[in-house]
């Protein structure tokens, strides 16, 4: 693979209760485990950061596919929901993702096809495929 860009972030402190900072300083924040996992909540956590990245990346992939296909999108959105829980083995944790895609103005068939194609090219989708359960929820209303 020919690398076009490399992002770098440093984690210090106590992991989920620590601090993260990107190499360029554009993200520089403390992390707070959610209340559901015994933490104080009220701040960013790794699942939120992953959800934001996946939503933005998938949205870009979808826009690229729509442009290739000559499909005009308006008021489209992508929401990524990232859940964390114990693996079925009870050892360690795993993630599950639901991508909620809204594509007003398209037929359900066209919207489903566009989202499926974006799921094939999105780097996050490719990284999670076979490792993370990803559900695609597509609405056109």
């Amino acid at each position: 693979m020919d690398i076009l860009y490399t992002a770098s972030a440093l984690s210090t402190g106590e992991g989920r209760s620590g601090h993260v900072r990107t190499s360029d300083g554009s993200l520089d924040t403390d992390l707070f485990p959610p209340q559901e996992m015994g933490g104080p909540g009220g701040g960013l956590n790794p699942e939120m950061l992953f959800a934001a990245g996946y939503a933005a990346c998938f949205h870009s992939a979808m826009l690229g596919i729509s442009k290739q296909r000559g499909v005009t999108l308006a008021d489209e959105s992508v929401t990524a929901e990232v859940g964390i829980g114990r693996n079925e083995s009870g050892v360690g944790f795993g993630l599950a993702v639901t991508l909620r895609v809204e594509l007003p103005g398209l037929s359900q068939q066209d919207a489903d096809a566009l989202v499926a194609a974006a799921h094939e090219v999105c780097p996050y989708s490719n990284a999670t495929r076979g490792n993370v359960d990803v559900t695609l929820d597509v609405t056109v209303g």
Side-chain angles (χ1 to χ4, degrees):
M1 179 171 67
D2 182 21
I3 302 294
L4 301 175
Y5 168 76
T6 299
S8 177
L10 172 69
S11 172
T12 57
E14 298 184 22
R16 291 178 162 279
S17 298
H19 189 89
V20 293
R21 184 172 85 61
T22 56
S23 59
D24 68 356
S26 63
L27 176 68
D28 191 347
T29 190
D30 290 328
L31 298 177
F32 301 90
Q35 290 179 338
E36 296 85 348
M37 294 179 70
L44 287 174
N45 62 59
E47 290 70 40
M48 289 175 171
L49 296 171
F50 187 79
Y54 203 160
C57 189
F58 194 88
H59 196 168
S60 288
M62 196 174 62
L63 291 170
I65 295 294
S66 68
K67 185 176 179 180
Q68 285 176 358
R69 295 182 176 186
V71 174
T72 302
L73 300 180
D75 299 320
E76 77 286 342
S77 66
V78 177
T79 301
E81 298 173 356
V82 176
I84 184 170
R86 286 241 177 240
N87 288 332
E88 290 179 11
S89 66
V91 178
F93 290 84
L95 300 175
V97 175
T98 298
L99 295 175
R100 299 195 189 283
V101 181
E102 294 186 25
L103 292 167
L106 295 184
S107 71
Q108 189 68 52
Q109 181 179 359
D110 288 344
D112 288 342
L114 180 66
V115 168
H119 192 47
E120 290 300 314
V121 300
C122 172
Y124 276 68
S125 293
N126 288 331
T128 59
R129 190 169 288 112
N131 299 306
V132 174
D133 289 334
V134 177
T135 301
L136 302 174
D137 180 17
V138 183
T139 58
V140 296

